Amino acid sequence: MIVAGNWKMNKTNQQAKLFANTLIQRLAGMKLRIVLCPPFVCLSDLAEVLRETNLCLGAQNCHYEKAGAFTGEISPVMLKEIGVEYVIVGHSERRHIFGETDEFINKKVKAILDNGMTPILCVGETKEEREKGLTFCVVESQLRQGLFGLTRDQIERIVIAYEPVWAIGTGIVAKPWQAQEVHGFIRKLLKALYDENLSKKVPILYGGSIKPDNFFGLMAQPDIDGGLVGGASLDEQFVELAKILSWFV
Ligand code: PGA
């Protein structure tokens, strides 16, 4: 079970350190995988703050090249060196606001794995796509392309996050059965692409308007292995979410 907080473009370095210290105290001893994904400029300091705690560090993005003329980008080598363990990739905000394609995302997934970190590959349909009945089709295509060319060993080291775009930051959370339907589909797809054993090893997180009052129902679903949380990861609610998830461990 994993709970990852995607802070997006929120919190300055000072605020991040303060909040991380509070979380360390409040979440001490919990047997969950708890991942904090702050903005890039906070990673280095948070790596120090989180050292020897049960909280891990994640980044929200990275480039696929090791180094070079890519103004404004951060490479996986840089992230690895400061102690980043997870990298969110293919988030819908990156796909839709910054125009990232599946091919670009696939290169990043490979680069993250090659540098010994775990990609959290996000997939999910827009409201329009859902209304047209295209949910499974979109999710399958994003997954097939995002995972293209990965070896079995690499698949064992990835995390998938199903994040319906219509649920992200909208307050409209997927109903537990709606999320389970897609999670079950993803599990079946992994089984078809690889095998049943492998399909069970890949954690599939749900993301989109998770709050303490809707989290339990989602996490009680058989194919939901945790949450990727935006807004509710920025304050005390994150502690509540971790507590709820720890009932399932
Ligand atoms: P939200 O964001 O929890 O604020 O909806 C989730 C995400 O974008 O990962």
Side-chain angles (χ1 to χ4, degrees):
M1 283 289 190
I2 301 174
V3 62
N6 174 9
W7 294 2
K8 308 193 180 182
M9 198 173 71
N10 292 293
K11 297 195 190 291
T12 64
N13 198 31
Q14 292 306 324
Q15 292 167 339
K17 283 193 281 185
L18 216 66
F19 185 50
N21 273 311
T22 309
L23 291 178
I24 289 168
Q25 286 167 16
R26 305 289 311 274
L27 304 176
M30 280 196 190
K31 300 267 175 292
L32 287 174
R33 202 114 262 255
I34 305 166
V35 187
L36 306 184
C37 306
F40 282 131
V41 290
C42 310
L43 286 171
S44 214
D45 279 2
L46 278 208
E48 290 304 316
V49 172
L50 301 184
R51 194 181 294 273
E52 281 163 36
T53 71
N54 57 332
L55 276 63
C56 332
L57 193 59
Q60 299 174 17
N61 182 27
C62 73
H63 198 271
Y64 58 82
E65 290 286 0
K66 290 190 177 72
F70 300 99
T71 302
E73 290 293 304
I74 304 287
S75 96
V77 178
M78 298 168 187
L79 297 178
K80 178 67 182 176
E81 191 196 75
I82 56 177
V84 168
E85 291 180 67
Y86 292 83
V87 185
I88 298 171
V89 60
H91 190 279
S92 77
E93 284 148 20
R94 302 247 26 120
R95 290 176 190 267
H96 297 116
I97 306 173
F98 301 99
E100 291 192 8
T101 63
D102 285 305
E103 195 192 345
F104 190 54
I105 290 162
N106 177 245
K107 286 184 179 165
K108 293 183 190 213
V109 169
K110 286 178 179 158
I112 294 160
L113 288 163
D114 287 346
N115 284 281
M117 297 176 290
T118 301
I120 302 178
L121 172 62
C122 304
V123 297
E125 81 289 358
T126 61
K127 183 169 179 271
E128 225 177 28
E129 287 162 343
R130 175 163 280 262
E131 282 166 1
K132 286 188 187 148
L134 295 173
T135 299
F136 296 139
C137 179
V138 169
V139 167
E140 176 166 353
S141 157
Q142 289 175 344
L143 275 177
R144 279 182 184 270
Q145 294 184 73
L147 302 177
F148 183 75
L150 298 191
T151 64
R152 291 180 59 89
D153 278 3
Q154 288 177 318
I155 296 289
E156 276 193 33
R157 294 192 286 122
I158 69 153
V159 173
I160 292 171
Y162 169 58
E163 297 207 306
V165 181
W166 47 271
I168 296 178
T170 57
I172 305 166
V173 64
K175 293 185 175 64
W177 67 265
Q178 282 176 317
Q180 168 56 30
E181 193 175 57
V182 181
H183 281 239
F185 173 78
I186 294 172
R187 191 85 66 199
K188 275 201 204 99
L189 182 66
L190 290 172
K191 185 177 159 189
L193 292 173
Y194 305 97
D195 61 57
E196 185 160 13
N197 198 19
L198 198 55
S199 76
K200 286 184 183 154
K201 286 187 185 162
V202 178
I204 310 174
L205 315 183
Y206 167 81
S209 294
I210 288 176
K211 296 280 177 285
D213 64 1
N214 60 36
F215 201 44
F216 185 91
L218 287 160
M219 294 305 118
Q221 301 303 311
D223 289 303
I224 304 188
D225 308 313
L228 178 56
V229 189
S233 72
L234 296 170
D235 54 35
E236 187 64 21
Q237 294 177 88
F238 194 64
V239 175
E240 296 307 309
L241 296 175
K243 281 186 191 161
I244 293 167
L245 197 60
S246 64
W247 295 336
F248 294 92
V249 179

